[in-house]
Amino acid sequence: MNSGVGLQRFFHRDETLSRSIRNIHDVCELLEIPQEQAETLIDPQDMHIYRLHPNIGGTPVAVWGCTAFHNRARGTYKGGIRISDDVSVGETMELARLMTLKTALTELELGGAKTGIQFDMREAYAIFGKTGYDPRFEASVKRAIMREYAHHYRGMLERKRYVPAPDMGTGPSEMAVIYDETKSPASVTGKPEGVPGWLPGRAEATGYGVFYVVRKCAEKRGQKLEGLRISIQGFGNVGSHATLFLKEAGAIIVAIADKDGALVDENGIDVVALSQYVKKNGSVKGFDAPAASMEEFFSVKTNYFIPAAINDSLTEDVAKMLDTECVVEGANFPTTCKGMDILTSRGIEVIPDIIANSGGVIASCEEYTHPTSTRKLTKEQVFATIEKSLGRNLDIAWAEAEKRGITLDLACTLVAIQRVYLTMRNHGWC
Ligand code: NAD
């Protein structure tokens, strides 16, 4: 079995000028950094492409993976592991670049990296004759892949040259596999409860950060969270936790979509029941709430729209359809360049990914820093750290945007690039 469609697609990505590349070029112009040095901020320092051979139920499988080591000027390479059928080298490079910007923007002593593993779970279901949603099957397949991955990178992981974490398609169980290979608590973050070095609140951290950003924006706009209308795309780790925190604070979740369908209910969706439903059934499809088309989902009138699923989902067409005041990017680069231009021209504020979904890496940094403490930090302490680091730097970026008359998206990149560039100069790299 060859799980993907091979190297050709693996190398491919449609959007040649990504948002982060466009932003870095614009920022270099604003900061008068020579364009040739912009390339050193854009390109990864190192790239690995490899083929893993996990054994799934006695069948050898060939799986392509790649890791982009974008920048280690400010600290060890840090970034999640994504398992998905449409992973590509270009996408992984973009995600690694965002990690460099994110860790710099939130003042963490870490660099940026990312792993993309191309695997089509639907094809695996077909090959192994599985029908319906089978979480145990999916978990065992992912464990087999992660065992091969951890073995492949053992030396680097043990030396903490690269410290991975969960991303789309992976979670705490997959991180436990890495710990089992290295036996080193600081070699991976996002570990499940009980595994040495695990951190209370890490699983909810990205969603908590997204919730906190909505709360902060609401405060700035003189809005109360109670009664705010929210729609969210994606109900996985980030989407489900963000929604649960928002619901608890009194917001009304009027629309939710995932890979299999969309729900719209003007009176609010019962997200606590939905969360239990998704654990059993794997998606929101079939839940007891009115089903909707994607057009209906995107057109619902809301105060905040939260893309928390895949990249490039907020296209030019979607940006025209959205009826909202503010977009909070829970996912990584959900908004395309053209989508961003439309939102800006329509006066819809965008809180970009590199700040909005940074709660996860802020918590990961705590987990990395306290790897063997038997007296755990509490969830409340972890959430307070997220609020402090995210809130302080969002304020800095807002002030920069106002001072220079630029978008918050560009201002966030500017603050991050100032910090990365300064450190690269201090190293004598440019
Ligand atoms: P996940 O795998 O837990 O969930 C992904 C969700 O997106 C699922 O609900 C899935 O059904 C939905 N989805 C997939 N394809 C879709 C499509 N075509 N249309 C609509 N929905 C679709 O992933 P996650 O960890 O929640 O990550 C979501 C996003 O957040 C990704 O962009 C990821 O890079 C980013 N992110 C995650 C973390 C983290 O800690 N997990 C941290 C920072 C950023």
Side-chain angles (χ1 to χ4, degrees):
M1 174 190 173
N2 187 330
S3 80
V5 286
L7 264 186
Q8 211 180 350
R9 180 157 143 218
F10 193 49
F11 272 105
H12 182 71
R13 192 170 125 70
D14 277 342
E15 201 178 305
T16 44
L17 183 69
S18 73
R19 222 174 87 204
S20 73
I21 294 178
R22 182 172 84 168
N23 282 351
I24 293 174
H25 277 302
D26 290 351
V27 160
C28 286
E29 220 173 293
L30 281 169
L31 298 177
E32 297 179 357
I33 296 173
Q35 280 302 324
E36 66 274 12
Q37 298 208 358
E39 300 302 327
T40 64
L41 291 158
I42 288 167
D43 291 338
Q45 289 193 246
D46 198 359
M47 280 293 303
H48 295 180
I49 296 173
Y50 37 87
R51 198 175 60 198
L52 304 172
H53 289 277
N55 190 298
I56 301 173
T59 306
V61 177
V63 180
W64 284 104
C66 76
T67 304
F69 300 96
H70 180 257
N71 195 296
R72 62 177 165 78
R74 292 174 46 88
T76 201
Y77 288 121
K78 187 85 189 85
I81 302 173
R82 176 175 287 200
I83 299 183
S84 166
D85 60 335
D86 59 1
V87 160
S88 69
V89 172
E91 176 192 90
T92 308
M93 281 174 14
E94 172 78 0
L95 289 165
R97 197 181 298 118
L98 293 183
M99 282 307 296
T100 300
L101 298 176
K102 207 179 295 186
T103 51
L105 182 57
T106 48
E107 297 174 288
L108 304 176
E109 211 173 276
L110 294 168
K114 201 84 178 188
T115 292
I117 296 175
Q118 190 191 58
F119 188 81
D120 188 344
M121 193 58 83
R122 287 174 211 224
E123 194 188 332
Y125 269 78
I127 286 172
F128 291 96
K130 296 273 171 192
T131 49
Y133 175 57
D134 188 341
R136 286 183 63 170
F137 170 69
E138 291 196 15
S140 73
V141 168
K142 285 184 186 173
R143 272 212 185 90
I145 296 172
M146 289 309 295
R147 266 196 298 275
E148 281 299 295
Y149 174 83
H151 195 62
H152 179 78
Y153 268 134
R154 183 179 182 160
M156 188 176 273
L157 296 166
E158 276 175 345
R159 292 199 312 279
K160 297 163 204 78
R161 290 268 294 159
Y162 169 42
V163 181
D167 189 66
M168 224 165 92
T170 62
S173 314
E174 286 73 35
M175 301 307 113
V177 177
I178 294 183
Y179 170 81
D180 287 340
E181 176 80 21
T182 63
K183 301 289 185 292
S184 163
S187 65
V188 59
T189 62
K191 298 177 289 294
E193 182 168 350
V195 170
W198 75 284
L199 184 81
R202 173 59 186 90
E204 304 95 321
T206 310
Y208 186 83
V210 170
F211 155 72
Y212 172 69
V213 167
V214 174
R215 199 175 86 194
K216 210 167 152 57
C217 289
E219 272 163 26
K220 192 165 179 261
R221 290 159 178 261
Q223 297 167 321
K224 280 193 176 151
L225 270 180
E226 292 84 16
L228 273 190
R229 293 163 58 84
I230 313 271
S231 72
I232 189 151
Q233 183 189 33
F235 202 70
N237 176 288
V238 181
S240 64
H241 286 120
T243 327
L244 290 165
F245 287 119
L246 284 161
K247 161 91 177 161
E248 207 179 307
I252 304 170
I253 315 302
V254 290
I256 298 179
D258 76 358
K259 64 181 188 315
D260 292 326
L263 309 169
V264 173
D265 189 341
E266 294 292 335
N267 299 317
I269 296 165
D270 180 350
V271 288
V272 177
L274 179 64
S275 165
Q276 297 306 318
Y277 179 87
V278 171
K279 272 186 198 139
K280 275 196 207 119
N281 299 283
S283 97
V284 304
K285 195 175 172 189
F287 181 68
D288 185 20
S293 68
M294 285 313 282
E295 284 72 23
E296 286 166 331
F297 167 75
F298 286 125
S299 319
V300 175
K301 189 172 175 56
T302 58
N303 301 102
Y304 292 83
F305 175 74
I306 305 172
I310 46 166
N311 23 277
D312 297 333
S313 63
L314 215 164
T315 59
E316 198 177 349
D317 290 341
V318 172
K320 286 178 189 159
M321 254 187 272
L322 283 183
D323 188 359
T324 194
E325 295 163 24
C326 183
V327 171
V328 176
E329 291 191 325
N332 282 312
F333 67 100
T335 313
T336 63
C337 288
K338 285 184 177 160
M340 184 63 87
D341 294 343
I342 302 271
L343 293 176
T344 306
S345 72
R346 292 185 58 207
I348 298 173
E349 187 175 27
V350 178
I351 315 296
D353 44 12
I354 54 173
I355 192 83
N357 69 34
S358 63
V361 72
I362 296 169
S364 272
C365 192
E366 290 297 294
E367 185 175 339
Y368 175 66
T369 316
H370 302 95
T372 51
S373 169
T374 47
R375 292 191 59 186
K376 292 274 162 225
L377 293 177
T378 64
K379 202 180 264 197
E380 291 68 32
Q381 285 172 312
V382 173
F383 290 171
T385 305
I386 292 172
E387 293 195 9
K388 197 170 157 203
S389 165
L390 202 164
R392 178 181 131 77
N393 288 292
L394 182 53
D395 283 337
I396 291 174
W398 261 326
E400 197 69 52
E402 206 174 303
K403 188 178 90 187
R404 294 178 183 265
I406 56 178
T407 61
L408 181 70
D409 184 37
L410 197 56
C412 283
T413 305
L414 186 139
V415 173
I417 286 295
Q418 274 175 328
R419 293 172 183 166
V420 177
Y421 187 64
L422 172 75
T423 316
M424 286 174 76
R425 284 183 72 90
N426 287 341
H427 281 291
W429 294 352
C430 53

